[in-house]
Amino acid sequence: LKTAGHESKTEHRKKIALDAMGGDHAPGVVIDGAVMAAREFGPSGVEVVLVGREDDIKRELARHDTEGLPLSIVHAGQVVEMDEHTMAIKEKKDSSMVVGVRLVKEGQASAFVTAGNSGAAMAAALFGLGRIRGIDRPALATIYPAAPNPCLLIDMGANTDPKPDNLVQNALMGALYAERVMGIERPRVGLVSNGEEADKGNLLVRDAYKALASSQLNFVGNVEGKDIGKGMADVVVTDGFVGNVIVKLSEGLVSFLVRYLKRELTGGALNKLALVLMLPGLVLLLPGLALLLPALKRIARRMDYAEYGGALLLGVDGVIVIGHGRSNAKAIKNAVRAAWRGVEGQVLDSIKQGLAGPV
Amino acid sequence: LKTAGHESKTEHRKKIALDAMGGDHAPGVVIDGAVMAAREFGPSGVEVVLVGREDDIKRELARHDTEGLPLSIVHAGQVVEMDEHTMAIKEKKDSSMVVGVRLVKEGQASAFVTAGNSGAAMAAALFGLGRIRGIDRPALATIYPAAPNPCLLIDMGANTDPKPDNLVQNALMGALYAERVMGIERPRVGLVSNGEEADKGNLLVRDAYKALASSQLNFVGNVEGKDIGKGMADVVVTDGFVGNVIVKLSEGLVSFLVRYLKRELTGGALNKLALVLMLPGLVLLLPGLALLLPALKRIARRMDYAEYGGALLLGVDGVIVIGHGRSNAKAIKNAVRAAWRGVEGQVLDSIKQGLAGPV
């Protein structure tokens, strides 16, 4: 564990800066996730740079055996709170958020990950790194667990009042990401709308439809709410307001179904009796269930937001991953992985080069 | 069964006009649903008036025993097709859709139900009946299966580019409906947004928030996507674009989960072996499952869109229910029930009177 100046033998490592103070359960859970990430991705050349109050970080790290793990600390004395106004970043120049972005700007880290105040994180990234040439507004891109294959949903909350041009730029960034990082050739781009036909949609969507249809992108048309999960498009484009509702509704619906089924099936004396009557049968099910375990695990993983680890802020001049405020350790670990993959996939250069070409 | 002039002994009946030609599976499935409705709601005083091509209707009715059922026919020679332009209603004055609306206008029916082309249905209702004083744009209100109690979602697709005033009017209509038809005292009104705080949302939502907060309504603030299903509000207000995405995404997600679980759990030799191994246990589960049956049925009902039967077009001067294009017979029957409840609950007069009071 090194406190500063992480050069020499580790300089070939990909340094992923992580906001130790960001998230509903920071710093404890963030440090847990950082240790997991260092253990899992360290052997592949990742170093996790913890940004935040050194004392707090060291105290939390002391709960783990970090011997030999590629973890380092960069001290930042201030914290942008979860409920603080976005513009707190203007005042708090020494906050973990601003310092983390600065590490990327100065080339001391390849990416920055935060599960903190997302509005503040976007502002810090935008002011600290600036925009990529050709992009007017950054967008949050996240993996949506469609089947058979997950898709990239963009924008899930950066820009709630975009213009049609913003949606086209997002489509382009999303397609480049899908191609270079997800490895999808000529990714299919769909536009969220209230009907399949070209004339469906609100004013924004109808204009964006026309622009996308005349672009060089592999535009497959409108995608209705019922079809988002069906994998009809690799890149699903929508505005930041609708994207946020889609992601949160999907998350909420799965957890709602689980809670609802549990309550309906276990509430009341009759149901309890039924469950007792079922016990012998359930015991007999065990060998079969054991065989089903891999499938059940796969399902649980697919449904677990923590698997996706956060959203990439595309359009700023650096790799920034914004995690869920209520991230658990696994979500933090996977947010580090998302950042690392973005770095490895050269998402930034890909988008810059792609934007230089014809749209 | 009467072909025209349904007076005398049935004049005390609530006549619900039903578009026999509307829907993906019309007229067959619509007639099936009409017969179900006549059987189930006839004893309570409902008469179903089938509007459409008399020959087609009679042919489909011949498949059923309709002896003594309160069913009648009003002939309409034209059909607005599902994929036709909304404005087809201008040309097709003798379509089932235009004739059905006219029956309501002329007081020959208390309500009109259609599972046909929804854009055309809204236009036919708006042109045929006009707006209620105080409402600038009609809105589609539908029951959303939240738990513990379902809520009313408004608008699910009538107006994709509303102004803040439209949302406030929708909130008011929704609250009046919740109070008078759903029997909820002082219904809680929530606004769909991308965050709980008052400053979250797109421009539309932020302005609507202020207007709702200063209204007489029991406004409980913003509702995030993850909370729509939690029953935090009795009336959930959103624009027609977002509302459409929410309803279709929710429908799609439930059917997606079922298909996905099925595929994951039954695909592959190992899983098949697992299921065979589980058979003895499953047999032992049967007595317990039998006890769980009421709960399982309740769950299936809650998740089945056909239970809700369609959306009320609030804001036009008449009771109009617009069903799902792919309605099955049960959905048609329940759409008739929704219309009947609207009539019984005096939804139209309630809204008219409510709008005359202070907002």
Side-chain angles (χ1 to χ4, degrees):
Chain A
L1 183 66
K2 294 154 293 90
T3 297
H6 16 98
E7 302 83 30
S8 64
K9 66 174 178 181
T10 59
E11 68 190 328
H12 59 288
R13 288 197 171 272
K14 291 284 181 229
K15 290 175 186 161
I16 310 294
L18 174 61
D19 181 357
M21 317 309 287
D24 295 342
H25 313 296
V29 159
V30 180
I31 303 299
D32 297 348
V35 172
M36 283 170 75
R39 242 177 230 141
E40 196 169 326
F41 314 130
S44 311
V46 170
E47 173 180 331
V48 180
V49 181
L50 292 159
V51 186
R53 290 189 183 131
E54 194 167 350
D55 291 351
D56 289 354
I57 295 172
K58 283 188 165 164
R59 192 190 60 235
E60 297 294 339
L61 279 173
R63 293 185 290 108
H64 299 271
D65 175 15
T66 57
E67 181 74 35
L69 288 184
L71 285 162
S72 58
I73 301 175
V74 170
H75 176 72
Q78 293 173 303
V79 176
V80 176
E81 304 295 340
M82 293 304 278
D83 53 0
E84 231 173 325
H85 193 274
T86 299
M87 284 306 128
I89 57 132
K90 289 267 186 193
E91 310 293 321
K92 297 184 167 174
K93 301 280 186 209
D94 194 36
S95 61
S96 54
M97 214 169 252
V98 174
V99 172
V101 168
R102 196 189 304 140
L103 291 178
V104 175
K105 174 76 178 174
E106 293 172 354
Q108 294 178 56
S110 302
F112 175 57
V113 175
T114 177
N117 182 323
S118 58
M122 289 189 277
L126 187 57
F127 290 121
L129 300 168
R131 287 173 284 122
I132 290 177
R133 191 193 191 91
I135 299 298
D136 297 317
R137 301 283 297 268
L140 278 171
T142 188
I143 302 293
Y144 186 90
N149 298 307
C151 60
L152 188 78
L153 186 118
I154 184 169
D155 166 23
M156 67 154 280
N159 185 358
T160 54
D161 287 286
K163 302 268 180 282
D165 277 355
N166 301 131
L167 294 195
V168 175
Q169 291 168 9
N170 292 352
L172 187 59
M173 290 196 291
L176 288 163
Y177 181 87
E179 204 176 292
R180 313 287 167 99
V181 181
M182 297 165 80
I184 300 166
E185 214 176 318
R186 216 165 148 57
R188 297 160 302 156
V189 175
L191 180 63
V192 175
S193 191
N194 60 331
E196 287 173 18
E197 305 85 351
D199 63 344
K200 289 286 175 149
N202 52 22
L203 293 172
L204 169 70
V205 165
R206 290 205 298 272
D207 283 349
Y209 187 102
K210 285 176 211 148
L212 286 168
S214 63
S215 74
Q216 301 292 316
L217 290 163
N218 183 12
F219 180 56
V220 296
N222 286 339
V223 178
E224 290 188 84
K226 66 185 169 61
D227 295 327
I228 295 173
K230 287 190 189 157
M232 296 171 75
D234 303 304
V235 179
V236 172
V237 177
T238 188
D239 71 69
F241 184 85
V242 175
N244 185 282
V245 171
I246 288 172
V247 170
K248 288 187 181 160
L249 180 65
S250 305
E251 267 179 40
L253 216 57
V254 172
S255 73
F256 160 73
L257 283 175
V258 171
R259 269 181 295 119
Y260 174 69
L261 291 177
K262 200 170 147 191
R263 208 196 52 189
E264 284 285 326
L265 293 177
T266 60
L270 198 65
N271 284 353
K272 289 205 170 63
L273 174 61
L275 292 173
V276 171
L277 281 177
M278 287 162 80
L279 273 180
L282 289 173
V283 171
L284 275 183
L285 289 184
L286 289 179
L289 278 178
L291 282 184
L292 279 182
L293 213 56
L296 291 171
K297 273 189 179 162
R298 209 159 50 233
I299 292 167
R301 215 179 309 128
R302 175 66 75 92
M303 298 301 161
D304 182 7
Y305 83 93
E307 277 302 317
Y308 303 100
L312 264 105
L313 185 64
L314 299 182
V316 294
D317 198 3
V319 177
I320 302 290
V321 170
I322 299 182
H324 216 298
R326 56 187 172 84
S327 286
N328 57 19
K330 186 166 74 168
I332 295 287
K333 181 202 78 177
N334 286 325
V336 171
R337 186 185 57 189
W340 173 41
R341 284 195 182 154
V343 172
E344 291 289 306
Q346 300 186 296
V347 55
L348 199 58
D349 284 342
S350 297
I351 289 177
K352 283 181 183 175
Q353 285 160 21
L355 288 174
V359 180
Chain B
L1 181 67
K2 294 155 294 88
T3 297
H6 16 99
E7 304 83 31
S8 65
K9 68 173 178 180
T10 59
E11 68 188 330
H12 60 286
R13 286 195 173 274
K14 290 286 181 231
K15 287 176 187 161
I16 311 293
L18 173 61
D19 181 356
M21 317 309 287
D24 295 342
H25 312 297
V29 159
V30 180
I31 303 299
D32 296 348
V35 171
M36 284 170 73
R39 240 176 232 141
E40 196 169 326
F41 314 131
S44 310
V46 169
E47 173 180 331
V48 180
V49 181
L50 292 160
V51 186
R53 291 189 184 131
E54 193 167 350
D55 292 351
D56 289 354
I57 295 172
K58 282 186 166 165
R59 193 190 60 238
E60 297 294 341
L61 279 172
R63 293 186 290 110
H64 300 272
D65 175 16
T66 58
E67 181 72 35
L69 288 183
L71 285 163
S72 57
I73 301 176
V74 169
H75 176 70
Q78 292 173 304
V79 175
V80 176
E81 304 295 341
M82 294 304 279
D83 54 0
E84 233 174 322
H85 194 274
T86 299
M87 283 306 127
I89 56 132
K90 289 267 187 194
E91 311 293 321
K92 296 184 168 175
K93 300 281 186 208
D94 193 36
S95 61
S96 55
M97 213 170 252
V98 174
V99 172
V101 168
R102 197 188 306 142
L103 291 178
V104 175
K105 173 76 178 175
E106 294 173 353
Q108 293 178 57
S110 302
F112 176 56
V113 175
T114 177
N117 182 323
S118 59
M122 288 189 278
L126 187 56
F127 290 120
L129 300 168
R131 287 173 284 121
I132 289 176
R133 193 193 190 93
I135 299 299
D136 297 317
R137 301 281 298 266
L140 278 171
T142 190
I143 301 294
Y144 187 88
N149 297 306
C151 61
L152 188 77
L153 186 118
I154 184 168
D155 166 23
M156 68 155 279
N159 186 359
T160 54
D161 287 287
K163 303 267 178 282
D165 278 355
N166 301 131
L167 294 195
V168 176
Q169 291 168 9
N170 292 352
L172 187 59
M173 290 196 291
L176 288 164
Y177 181 88
E179 204 175 291
R180 312 289 166 99
V181 181
M182 297 166 79
I184 300 166
E185 211 176 319
R186 220 168 143 55
R188 298 159 302 156
V189 175
L191 180 63
V192 175
S193 190
N194 60 332
E196 286 173 20
E197 305 86 351
D199 63 345
K200 289 285 176 149
N202 52 21
L203 293 172
L204 169 70
V205 165
R206 292 205 298 272
D207 283 349
Y209 186 103
K210 285 176 212 147
L212 286 168
S214 64
S215 75
Q216 300 294 313
L217 290 163
N218 183 13
F219 181 55
V220 295
N222 285 340
V223 178
E224 290 187 84
K226 66 185 168 62
D227 295 327
I228 295 174
K230 287 190 189 158
M232 297 170 76
D234 304 302
V235 179
V236 173
V237 176
T238 188
D239 71 69
F241 184 85
V242 175
N244 186 282
V245 171
I246 289 172
V247 169
K248 288 186 180 160
L249 180 65
S250 306
E251 268 180 39
L253 217 58
V254 171
S255 72
F256 160 73
L257 284 174
V258 171
R259 270 180 295 120
Y260 174 70
L261 291 177
K262 201 170 147 190
R263 210 197 50 189
E264 284 283 328
L265 293 177
T266 60
L270 198 66
N271 284 354
K272 289 206 172 61
L273 174 62
L275 292 173
V276 171
L277 280 176
M278 287 163 81
L279 273 180
L282 289 173
V283 171
L284 273 183
L285 288 184
L286 289 179
L289 278 177
L291 281 182
L292 279 182
L293 212 57
L296 291 171
K297 276 189 176 163
R298 210 162 48 233
I299 292 167
R301 215 180 306 129
R302 175 65 75 92
M303 298 301 161
D304 181 7
Y305 81 94
E307 277 303 318
Y308 303 100
L312 266 106
L313 185 64
L314 299 181
V316 293
D317 197 1
V319 177
I320 302 290
V321 170
I322 298 181
H324 217 297
R326 55 187 174 85
S327 286
N328 57 18
K330 187 165 74 169
I332 295 287
K333 181 200 77 177
N334 286 325
V336 171
R337 185 184 58 190
W340 172 40
R341 281 195 184 154
V343 172
E344 291 289 307
Q346 300 185 298
V347 55
L348 198 59
D349 284 343
S350 297
I351 290 177
K352 283 181 182 177
Q353 285 161 21
L355 288 174
V359 181

